Amino acid sequence: LWIMREAQMMSELITMVRTQLQAIKSACDLSQLGTQWSMEIANVAHAIYYQRIPDAWCEALGPSGPSPACGLTNFFTDLTMRAEHIEKVLTR
């Protein structure tokens, strides 16, 4: 049950991260910086600019995720380690 919840949470988080990053990239490619952004996307872009973990991503990870003060690099390291752990559990 735990592994299924963890895998579902990871899938939803990765979808959220991908969607938000694509929205930011799209706005930058169109030279419409900020004109079509929702407040959530603006907050994500602001956090990324300052190398912080966006609040929406922290909320999606729940209490077991890294502290928002850890920095963006640690977030992706933690995400990778979680995925590797799930893969190990599933292969055993």
Side-chain angles (χ1 to χ4, degrees):
L1 186 59
W2 168 83
I3 196 69
M4 291 181 67
R5 281 188 296 203
E6 190 75 7
Q8 179 67 30
M9 183 270 309
M10 290 286 291
S11 176
E12 291 170 2
L13 175 65
I14 290 169
T15 300
M16 176 194 305
V17 169
R18 181 181 295 126
T19 302
Q20 291 175 341
L21 291 177
Q22 286 175 339
I24 293 168
K25 180 183 181 295
S26 178
C28 292
D29 287 346
L30 297 173
S31 298
Q32 298 176 347
L33 299 176
T35 59
Q36 296 180 341
W37 289 7
S38 66
M39 193 57 149
E40 181 182 21
I41 297 298
N43 290 337
V44 170
H46 184 265
I48 290 171
Y49 180 80
Y50 288 104
Q51 295 293 305
R52 294 190 321 247
I53 305 169
D55 292 336
W57 300 0
C58 288
E59 290 172 15
L61 266 176
S64 65
S67 165
C70 285
L72 200 54
T73 303
N74 291 333
F75 171 80
F76 287 111
T77 301
D78 181 71
L79 201 61
T80 302
M81 288 174 40
R82 284 171 179 251
E84 289 171 356
H85 181 70
I86 290 172
E87 184 179 345
K88 285 179 187 176
V89 170
L90 289 174
T91 57
R92 291 185 182 169

